[in-house]
Amino acid sequence: LTVASFGYAIIAHQSNQATAYYNSFARGWELLVGALAGALVPYICWPMWLRTVLGTVALAAILSCGALINGVREFPGPWALVPVGATVLFILAGANRASRPGTRDRIPLPNRILAAAPLVTLGAMAYSLYLWHWPLLIFWLSYTGHRHANFIDGAAVLLLSGVLAYLTMRLVEDPLRYHAPAHPARTVPWRNRLRRPTIVLGSVVALLGVTLTATSFTWREHVTVQRAGGKELSGLSLRDYPGARALVKHVRVPKLRMRPTVLEAHKDLPASTKDGCISDFKNTTLINCTYGDQSATRTIALAGGSHAEHWLTALDLLGRMHHFKVVTYLKMGCPLSTEETPLIMGNNAPYPQCRQWVGQTMAKLIADHPDYVFTTSTRPWNVKPGDVMPASYLGIWQTFSDNNIPVLAMRDTPWLVKDGNPFEPADCLAKGGNAQSCGIKRSVVLSDHNPTLDFVEQFPLLKPLDMSDAVCRPDICRAVEGNVLIYHDAHHLSATYMRTMTNELGRQIAAATGWW
């Protein structure tokens, strides 16, 4: 049964570690190994020197687990053998000492250390400590908004957990475990009972338990509200929702439901949209907003239409990490272009406001002279598969070149079109489709060659960026990668997926700028 449980744990861990972690049969072998150790005790007749060596090795292995093994990720897989096996070895090192005259009245040094009274007490309250520390840690992280506890926070949580665990052991566990001998009942006034420290401390522990229970319901409601507003998406674990990292880094993807859900997708937008930092179709006013490290001296100007805008989510994070500011110059449906009569992509309606806005924006960019301008450098073909750099972009590159402003030229992400009409993956998924059927062939939306590369020699300040491999597989651009919905509509990336592209985008920008 132990072997079967361990074998199942390995298989379950490889297929879905998060589920296996809480699977009773996958964890059963850890308890069964303890039973097997008990059966081995009568056969242990090791000399003292061997017991000491084995106990020392076992104790070192146990103490090193926290630093060397990520229990959240590796349990209940093969790495769990290290702490479980070391614990069994440590127990056996001190077991059946009466089997040899030389060990009858002696205890191995490592076992003597752990037999010290303070450590015995710590062991006695270990389960209570386990129960208390987790909710306290979670509530503290929620209150502070931090992703991890620093040393001081962690020490405070452990200290408070230790106090509560000790009180729980003394006032709850021990009274239930060890019943006092029967004696004639005495009537004690309630006033005197309430004065007893045990009653007071027990009441405090009970009150804390009730408080934590009530808070858990409040926290659940808070999560519901956060999820409804889309804020919860920004805190998704990259381990559970690797997104683009599944394509770029080939990380393992656990079996979890997709996020954002089809109901969350339309609200999963970049901050600039929510902040009103992009001009709409009718507005010709240039709106500048600053993101990233707002006190930095280095600047990247994010300029163009909404396909430039959706990169803000990753650029904002990179700016904070690498100390540059991101200033927006954005207008819906209006890439930087010298087109005399711009058209709205999709319905081909005349768009004179775009022409007027581009003129103002280019003048402002030249005057501001940022370190780099980040904008899109390609568009999808309207008449055939693939993508292209429009001829009307060349005048923009020339203007930037004449003013010595380098350009981070991002290849545009695929626009999803079927039968001549845009389609939204979220709608397709809601109707029963899957990541594959709700995607599109890569060859339909992307050319084999990045068109921007053909103009680098002509415009040396043009720095091509291409994130296509972080969105599409070699043969298909799917609707979902790494448990994350890629698009929030027919052609704009979801902010959640964009966050998972941050590292790869940072790598490419670092290579282009040399900033880090």
Side-chain angles (χ1 to χ4, degrees):
L1 187 61
T2 304
V3 173
S5 173
F6 182 65
Y8 175 76
I10 294 176
I11 296 172
H13 179 268
Q14 292 175 343
S15 62
N16 191 337
Q17 185 270 338
T19 301
Y21 190 89
Y22 298 101
N23 187 292
S24 297
F25 189 63
R27 305 304 294 263
W29 69 270
E30 300 171 26
L31 300 176
L32 293 170
V33 165
L36 292 176
L40 290 175
V41 168
Y43 302 97
I44 301 300
C45 55
W46 299 330
M48 182 54 63
W49 70 266
L50 181 58
R51 292 173 181 269
T52 302
V53 170
L54 294 178
T56 302
V57 171
L59 184 58
I62 293 171
L63 294 176
S64 66
C65 284
L68 302 180
I69 300 175
N70 187 329
V72 175
R73 294 187 181 183
E74 302 301 338
F75 278 39
W79 279 106
L81 273 174
V82 177
V84 173
T87 301
V88 169
L89 190 61
F90 189 85
I91 293 172
L92 294 179
N96 198 27
R97 299 190 309 278
S99 63
R100 297 172 67 102
T103 61
R104 188 182 306 275
D105 299 319
R106 300 170 61 193
I107 301 177
L109 178 60
N111 299 70
R112 288 205 306 271
I113 293 174
L114 291 194
L119 295 180
V120 171
T121 301
L122 180 62
M125 67 183 201
Y127 189 66
S128 294
L129 183 62
Y130 165 75
L131 293 178
W132 277 110
H133 90 283
W134 186 247
L136 291 175
L137 176 62
I138 294 301
F139 289 133
W140 174 252
L141 293 178
S142 173
Y143 175 76
T144 60
H146 298 156
R147 296 178 67 90
H148 304 284
N150 58 34
F151 178 80
I152 296 177
D153 293 345
V157 168
L158 286 177
L159 179 61
L160 180 57
S161 301
V163 172
L164 293 173
Y166 180 79
L167 294 175
T168 303
M169 178 189 70
R170 292 297 302 272
L171 304 178
V172 179
E173 293 184 42
D174 287 352
L176 292 174
R177 188 182 295 118
Y178 309 112
H179 295 286
H183 55 77
R186 293 185 304 161
T187 302
V188 180
W190 274 103
R191 181 177 299 177
N192 292 341
R193 292 185 187 183
L194 292 176
R195 290 175 181 172
R196 293 180 178 179
T198 300
I199 296 296
V200 174
L201 292 175
S203 300
V204 170
V205 172
L207 181 61
L208 283 171
V210 172
T211 301
L212 286 175
T213 302
T215 307
S216 67
F217 287 102
T218 305
W219 171 250
R220 183 177 180 180
E221 179 65 20
H222 170 71
V223 170
T224 301
V225 172
Q226 292 286 93
R227 179 170 293 180
K231 295 180 180 179
E232 184 249 356
L233 292 171
S234 62
L236 293 179
S237 165
L238 282 177
R239 179 176 63 86
D240 295 334
Y241 296 90
R245 296 173 66 245
L247 296 178
V248 178
K249 297 293 185 181
H250 308 291
V251 300
R252 186 177 63 188
V253 181
K255 293 181 180 179
L256 296 171
R257 70 168 187 155
M258 173 194 76
R259 299 295 301 277
T261 65
V262 294
L263 297 178
E264 296 170 329
H266 70 287
K267 294 182 179 179
D268 197 17
L269 308 170
S272 48
T273 298
K274 299 176 181 179
D275 296 341
C277 293
I278 180 171
S279 299
D280 60 26
F281 285 95
K282 294 182 179 180
N283 187 8
T284 58
T285 303
L286 174 60
I287 303 172
N288 289 134
C289 296
T290 304
Y291 296 89
D293 183 352
Q294 299 188 23
S295 63
T297 57
R298 301 183 300 193
T299 302
I300 289 180
L302 178 61
S306 55
H307 275 240
E309 181 201 21
H310 63 199
W311 293 99
L312 176 65
T313 303
L315 288 172
D316 179 39
L317 292 172
L318 290 171
R320 296 171 189 269
M321 286 190 287
H322 300 291
H323 307 295
F324 63 86
K325 68 178 69 172
V326 182
V327 181
T328 61
Y329 303 71
L330 301 168
K331 180 173 174 60
M332 294 180 181
C334 188
L336 299 182
S337 165
T338 58
E339 187 70 52
E340 291 292 336
T341 309
L343 302 176
I344 296 176
M345 188 74 170
N347 61 12
N348 290 328
Y351 195 8
Q353 297 91 339
C354 178
R355 175 63 177 162
Q356 181 180 347
W357 180 86
V358 169
Q360 297 175 8
T361 299
M362 290 300 293
K364 186 72 161 55
L365 284 168
I366 293 170
D368 293 344
H369 205 283
D371 294 281
Y372 288 89
V373 171
F374 184 109
T375 191
T376 53
S377 59
T378 63
R379 297 281 273 182
W381 276 108
N382 283 332
V383 295
K384 63 179 182 179
D387 55 340
V388 63
M389 179 187 287
S392 58
Y393 285 16
L394 301 184
I396 299 295
W397 310 148
Q398 188 63 59
T399 300
F400 285 137
S401 179
D402 292 343
N403 289 274
N404 198 33
I405 299 176
V407 178
L408 297 173
M410 174 60 71
R411 187 182 190 181
D412 201 1
T413 48
W415 297 53
L416 305 186
V417 178
K418 284 187 177 180
D419 301 323
N421 298 309
F423 77 96
E424 298 192 14
D427 290 343
C428 176
L429 293 166
K431 294 175 182 177
N434 56 42
Q436 193 88 357
S437 64
C438 294
I440 193 168
K441 288 185 177 180
R442 178 168 176 153
S443 59
V444 172
V445 290
L446 292 172
S447 302
D448 293 336
H449 174 75
N450 181 3
T452 311
L453 299 175
D454 297 333
F455 297 89
V456 172
E457 185 175 350
Q458 182 180 352
F459 301 104
L461 293 182
L462 204 62
K463 311 293 183 182
L465 305 177
D466 188 350
M467 295 286 287
S468 300
D469 289 340
V471 177
C472 300
R473 298 186 178 193
D475 58 338
I476 189 171
C477 302
R478 304 199 324 158
V480 180
E481 290 292 355
N483 293 332
V484 181
L485 179 63
I486 297 177
Y487 290 87
H488 73 75
D489 60 13
H491 50 90
H492 295 99
L493 302 189
S494 69
T496 301
Y497 194 80
M498 183 59 70
R499 270 186 288 273
T500 70
M501 301 172 75
T502 301
N503 288 345
E504 175 60 17
L505 178 62
R507 184 190 68 80
Q508 294 193 23
I509 291 179
T513 63
W515 279 358
W516 62 88

